[in-house]
Amino acid sequence: MTQDISHNIQDYLKRIYEITRSGQKASTSQLAQVLGISAASVTNMLQKLSKSSPPYVIYHKHHGVELTELGKASALKILRRHRLIEQYLVEKLGYAWDEVHEEAEILEHALSPLLENRIDAALGSPRFDPHGDPIPDANLNMPNMQQTPLTHLAVGESGSVIRVPHEDPQVLRYLEKSGLRPGVQVKLLSRTPYDQTIHLQITGKNEEIIIGPNLGSQITIKVDD
Amino acid sequence: MTQDISHNIQDYLKRIYEITRSGQKASTSQLAQVLGISAASVTNMLQKLSKSSPPYVIYHKHHGVELTELGKASALKILRRHRLIEQYLVEKLGYAWDEVHEEAEILEHALSPLLENRIDAALGSPRFDPHGDPIPDANLNMPNMQQTPLTHLAVGESGSVIRVPHEDPQVLRYLEKSGLRPGVQVKLLSRTPYDQTIHLQITGKNEEIIIGPNLGSQITIKVDD
DNA sequence: GCTAATATTTAGCCAAACCTAAATTATACG
DNA sequence: CGTATAATTTAGGTTTGGCTAAATATTAGC
Ligand SMILES: [Mn+2]
Ligand SMILES: [Mn+2]
Ligand SMILES: [Mn+2]
Ligand SMILES: [Mn+2]
């Protein structure tokens, strides 16, 4: 079905998937930024991906790209491997949750279908990775959670953490220290008026956790009824 | 110490190490054959590896290459990862011994030092891989077994298998079926005069095992006193 | 020791992905 | 609505590691 695809292209497709998740197209500059390369290089690759047969993306000149079905399936395949690897490293090899993303970013391109299956089986087909991100199943179906950014919580409201951002080890170590991991229940104590920094408390704990607006919008929760 | 080295170069160095183990230099055509590329491409790479600073190989124009100390250390590092991975896949993920080489050939290039350590620790610092090949330790010291090709056994003599060739799944399945794995004791029953095919028996078993000279020279044993 | 066969190297090319600088298009706002 | 700024694309290069064909060196057999 999918013929062989280079490591680079796998990363492009994964990034495009992440950006286009929320509806909008992925722009040249967004991709250049997350991939850490020049905009000209991105344009080049997007044109190539849109002209291949079959194409992986639909290219809207000057207006970004979206994935074709093939592109989406390819992206989900890599995302599945990425998240399974993260879970495996934490569960089976004693990694901390801030150490796994970088490893997975490399290993995801080196996994055979057989190894993917063995890892999945060894973990009992896990549905979430260490940061709370859903793992697409073997048919690439993605559990579609409805989730709200932590910053949308009203003062006094509470909810339980679904996922935290996975890329920045420093952030992850801060969250670890605060106890803010997927599953815990938090209550919004207050919000500063100008810069929208929020103060939280984990149910059953006393410390106050301070989260800036950038980080807060990346953490998602399920609001309590 | 070693600056970053491409996947391709890692494979070149590993192959040069394997060929030069037994003293001779590695020739252009030998490398072309095992790497599955043209001789001209090999020449190109060997010149590059000999001209880099510091150099990885010593290039004897028209007479093959040998590894520098740096080249040897780089090769051993990859060999360590390759063999640790093979052992891990068999031990921890239920792979058969004929399924691991191809996986390891890819994964060896994707392992970080941390993951190498974790795998080593999870296995209790194993000294041999599933095919009986020694695994260099963390300081890249290689257990130097003295071993004899199976074909050197005299009729009536016996010895215990040390290692079997690891690359060809078909061969491995044949050996598996015959019970010829590292550790078992074998006795040479007879040798055909012209083509040097040998007939063996495993101690405690009845079946006769037939091994051709190509395969026989790749299996090594420790001859019983 | 010469010569034919074999092995190796050189020369010239190609594809994948990157780059910078210049040109073009889109957008935002006065 | 026109123009300045920002985003994107085009043009022209580079590096890495392949390739084939042609030239040259080595080796083996007579
Ligand atoms: Mn990740
Ligand atoms: Mn990646
Ligand atoms: Mn192997
Ligand atoms: Mn390899």
Side-chain angles (χ1 to χ4, degrees), chain B residues 64-83:
Chain B
V65 289
E66 50 190 317
L67 293 171
T68 61
E69 279 309 309
L70 172 62
K72 187 180 167 193
S74 308
L76 283 171
K77 200 178 294 182
I78 303 302
L79 211 53
R80 170 169 163 81
R81 288 179 189 175
H82 182 103
R83 293 177 180 171

Side-chain angles (χ1 to χ4, degrees), chain B residues 7 10-11 14 78 82 101-109:
Chain B
H7 295 189
Q10 293 176 356
D11 278 340
K14 195 168 47 119
I78 303 302
H82 182 103
H101 176 73
E102 207 186 354
E103 294 274 12
E105 202 56 56
I106 306 292
L107 288 166
E108 63 190 358
H109 310 292

Side-chain angles (χ1 to χ4, degrees), chain A residues 34-54:
Chain A
V34 296
L35 292 168
I37 62 181
S38 76
S41 300
V42 172
T43 296
N44 218 53
M45 178 61 90
L46 296 182
Q47 290 174 345
K48 178 177 144 184
L49 291 177
S50 70
K51 278 175 208 142
S52 82
S53 29

Side-chain angles (χ1 to χ4, degrees), chain A residues 11 14 105-106 108-109:
Chain A
D11 278 341
K14 196 168 45 122
E105 202 56 56
I106 306 292
E108 63 189 0
H109 309 293

Side-chain angles (χ1 to χ4, degrees), chain B residues 27-98:
Chain B
S27 75
T28 302
S29 51
Q30 274 178 301
L31 285 167
Q33 205 238 306
V34 296
L35 291 168
I37 62 181
S38 75
S41 300
V42 172
T43 297
N44 216 53
M45 179 61 89
L46 296 182
Q47 290 173 347
K48 179 176 144 185
L49 291 177
S50 71
K51 278 175 208 144
S52 82
S53 33
Y56 290 92
V57 305
I58 301 165
Y59 177 57
H60 304 272
K61 198 170 175 172
H62 286 284
H63 297 281
V65 289
E66 50 190 317
L67 293 171
T68 61
E69 279 309 309
L70 172 62
K72 187 180 167 193
S74 308
L76 283 171
K77 200 178 294 182
I78 303 302
L79 211 53
R80 170 169 163 81
R81 288 179 189 175
H82 182 103
R83 293 177 180 171
L84 280 173
I85 290 163
E86 290 190 344
Q87 187 63 22
Y88 190 87
L89 293 176
V90 166
E91 188 98 343
K92 301 292 187 183
L93 287 168
Y95 274 67
W97 75 344
D98 63 292

Side-chain angles (χ1 to χ4, degrees), chain A residues 14 82-83 86 100-102 104-105 129 131 133 166-167:
Chain A
K14 196 168 45 122
H82 182 102
R83 292 177 180 171
E86 290 189 345
V100 297
H101 176 74
E102 207 185 354
E105 202 56 56
D129 80 7
H131 315 107
D133 283 308
H166 58 131
E167 303 207 1

Side-chain angles (χ1 to χ4, degrees), chain B residues 120-211:
Chain B
D120 183 59
L123 295 171
S125 296
R127 306 191 46 231
F128 300 95
D129 80 7
H131 315 108
D133 284 307
I135 301 174
D137 70 18
N139 300 317
L140 304 182
N141 291 121
M142 182 72 117
N144 195 10
M145 328 261 331
Q146 81 209 66
Q147 35 191 296
T148 318
L150 175 57
T151 44
H152 287 195
L153 216 51
V155 172
E157 249 185 342
S158 63
S160 44
V161 175
I162 294 180
R163 68 171 291 278
V164 300
H166 58 131
E167 302 206 3
D168 187 338
Q170 260 197 290
V171 165
L172 284 166
R173 284 194 292 272
Y174 176 71
L175 295 177
E176 175 74 35
K177 199 161 50 94
S178 311
L180 208 70
R181 67 177 119 263
V184 306
Q185 194 191 41
V186 295
K187 182 173 168 184
L188 186 63
L189 300 180
S190 67
R191 183 192 307 272
T192 62
Y194 178 66
D195 61 6
Q196 301 287 324
T197 294
I198 57 183
H199 291 227
L200 305 163
Q201 205 168 35
I202 295 176
T203 303
K205 289 198 177 183
N206 282 322
E207 304 102 77
E208 199 166 298
I209 303 167
I210 302 166
I211 302 281

